[in-house]
Amino acid sequence: MTGALSGAGNLPAALTTFVGRRRDIAEIRRRLGAARLLTLTGVGGVGKTRLALEAAAAARKGFADGVWLVDLAPVRDPSAVAGATATALGVPDLGARPVLDQLTGHLARRRALIVLDNCEHLVDACAELAETLLSGAPELRVLATSRRTLGIAGEHVFTVPPLSVPDEAVELLLDRASAIRPEFRVTGTNRDAVTRLCARLDGLPLAIELAASRLRTLTVEQLADRVEDRFALLTGGSRTARPRQRTLRALIDWSYELCGPAERLLWNRLSVFAGGFDLDAAEGVCSGDGVPRHEVLDLLDRLVAQSVVLTTEHEGTARYRMLETIRQYGRERLAEYGADEERRLLRRHRDHFLSLAEHLAADWYGPGQEEALARLRTEHGNLRVALEYEYGSQGAGTDGTGGDR
């Protein structure tokens, strides 16, 4: 095949070691064999772009007409998506037809893989582009990265998990730290601090890389002790990185900006939960004042779709949680609404979980004791927060934080 797409593609050479994720790469390659559109989703900083590039490079031999990266991060105008794609693929603009039609024509008989990177702020335009190209080019595959899915027929989704702790996360910290401090080692003395640091950073590659840059100045023990204030601490990103990847706060700010006002409000309120929550708790604690109870499910679903909230299943019931980094960010945003709003949410959280505890206690000596004990274990974090608020707020005076149950 000759023409603009006859080369090996335009994937950039990696400047740093790729750590872990071998199973993820194998799974992505397997899915690309069956799916024509595969979207890698996940929270910001989890490494979607790097994983997509590594998987695309590993699959290069299967695409005779090349593997092509389309970086959409700098694109702001949805109407410019097709043009940015054509430029990345080296397709000349002949001017006679719309760019999307020209692209479709060039790709019609070619076997190529296009990596559409950073689609989340242009999701509608990317969905239209992918659907049009895939409809007109039967040998084409598209690998997209986005914090939310494209939402079109035929899309397959792979949720990129954080690095495993301690294995992959510690390996990444060691690799990046030794680049700036060659003498840095993980030893029997500091291993616990290293593991604690990686765990508190949720195994997020970007957060770990930002933390590694702080090891120029701090010991790993000092870093682990200071990570509670992660947004002020993790600010030392690469000068050549995009602005939103230079600090942890800027990264999460970007996710927050992509949410609608009601989604942001629910994000803030969900931050009062510790260790996860179910739908009943979300509806009971977070509804009201801008979030009607009947809309909580839909808003929660949108936050899941945007990789803000994670889902799991526990004993047949869906449960939800936020990574600690995401939860802390929401808690800071909640505090911006004022102390009264924060206390109101904490009171509702307390009332919900103390009511649950009282209900379980009433049936404790019956046949459901085993199930009650399991539920108490599941909600241990929330019950601890509720009790701390209950006993910490007693005698608080006339501010309404105590004695209102």
Side-chain angles (χ1 to χ4, degrees):
M1 183 68 66
T2 61
L5 302 185
S6 59
N10 68 343
L11 295 186
L15 299 178
T16 57
T17 305
F18 182 71
V19 174
R21 299 205 188 277
R22 298 303 171 189
R23 290 182 179 178
D24 292 339
I25 289 178
E27 178 64 13
I28 291 168
R29 292 186 65 185
R30 185 190 70 79
R31 293 198 187 189
L32 280 174
R36 301 192 56 218
L37 169 61
L38 178 61
T39 301
L40 307 189
T41 65
V43 67
V46 80
K48 297 181 293 294
T49 295
R50 186 63 187 273
L51 178 59
L53 293 176
E54 293 291 333
R60 184 183 280 125
K61 290 183 179 180
F63 297 94
D65 295 300
V67 177
W68 303 86
L69 170 64
V70 182
D71 182 7
L72 296 171
V75 178
R76 290 292 175 266
D77 184 354
S79 66
V81 168
T85 304
T87 299
L89 271 62
V91 178
D93 184 0
L94 302 178
R97 293 184 297 162
V99 175
L100 187 52
D101 290 346
Q102 295 180 51
L103 262 174
T104 305
H106 272 276
L107 290 166
R109 295 180 178 82
R110 290 181 164 91
R111 182 168 180 79
L113 172 63
I114 296 177
V115 180
L116 287 179
D117 190 32
N118 294 295
C119 297
E120 56 268 355
H121 61 301
L122 300 161
V123 67
D124 291 336
C126 289
E128 180 183 359
L129 174 76
E131 185 171 60
T132 301
L133 294 182
L134 291 169
S135 296
E139 294 299 313
L140 179 68
R141 296 287 189 275
V142 173
L143 179 61
T145 75
S146 178
R147 296 182 199 184
R148 48 183 168 175
T149 61
L150 301 190
I152 62 175
E155 179 182 31
H156 290 233
V157 178
F158 179 85
T159 301
V160 180
L163 295 175
S164 63
V165 179
D167 300 331
E168 294 176 331
V170 170
E171 183 183 353
L172 179 64
L173 182 70
L174 175 60
D175 181 84
R176 301 303 191 257
S178 60
I180 58 175
R181 278 183 58 189
E183 74 280 7
F184 181 79
R185 298 288 185 273
V186 178
T187 67
T189 302
N190 69 12
R191 184 176 298 278
D192 286 347
V194 169
T195 301
R196 178 161 52 96
L197 174 64
C198 292
R200 296 190 71 183
L201 294 177
D202 301 306
L204 291 177
L206 180 63
I208 292 170
E209 291 181 346
L210 291 172
S213 71
R214 284 295 188 189
L215 291 174
R216 283 189 296 258
T217 309
L218 302 173
T219 67
V220 71
E221 290 83 2
Q222 288 175 309
L223 194 57
D225 290 340
R226 290 171 176 262
V227 78
E228 187 67 28
D229 193 12
R230 67 192 67 201
F231 296 114
L233 183 68
L234 303 181
T235 58
S238 169
R239 286 191 178 92
T240 59
R242 299 184 186 98
R244 63 175 178 264
Q245 293 180 323
R246 294 177 189 172
T247 72
L248 188 62
R249 181 178 296 280
L251 179 76
I252 310 303
D253 280 343
W254 173 243
S255 292
Y256 198 74
E257 291 165 7
L258 291 172
C259 295
E263 295 161 2
R264 296 176 191 173
L265 191 56
L266 183 60
W267 178 345
N268 300 342
R269 294 177 180 180
L270 292 174
S271 69
V272 300
F273 292 107
F277 55 93
D278 58 20
L279 180 59
D280 287 342
E283 290 174 334
V285 175
C286 300
S287 60
D289 295 329
V291 180
R293 188 183 183 97
H294 69 274
E295 292 184 8
V296 170
L297 174 58
D298 185 54
L299 291 170
L300 183 60
D301 182 64
R302 291 187 224 165
L303 291 178
V304 170
Q306 296 183 73
S307 305
V308 173
V309 174
L310 306 177
T311 63
T312 187
E313 185 174 320
H314 181 73
E315 297 182 350
T317 300
R319 284 188 65 82
Y320 311 92
R321 69 181 181 92
M322 294 189 286
L323 296 179
E324 186 60 19
T325 298
I326 301 298
R327 193 185 76 84
Q328 283 197 15
Y329 182 91
R331 194 61 181 270
E332 289 189 12
R333 289 287 192 167
L334 178 63
E336 292 174 3
Y337 281 79
D340 288 344
E341 172 68 1
E342 192 170 14
R343 283 195 293 264
R344 185 182 73 84
L345 264 294
L346 287 170
R347 285 198 301 270
R348 296 188 70 174
H349 177 276
R350 175 201 63 189
D351 292 347
H352 179 87
F353 285 101
L354 292 188
S355 175
L356 172 65
E358 290 168 355
H359 173 75
L360 294 175
D363 297 330
W364 185 253
Y365 293 104
Q369 186 181 79
E370 186 174 342
E371 290 79 4
L373 181 60
R375 184 69 187 277
L376 287 173
R377 286 172 175 163
T378 299
E379 301 293 1
H380 174 266
N382 285 309
L383 289 167
R384 175 180 52 78
V385 170
L387 288 169
E388 287 175 355
Y389 184 80
E390 169 72 356
Y391 290 107
S393 64
Q394 295 301 316
T398 59
D399 65 356
T401 61
D404 63 346
R405 293 183 62 234

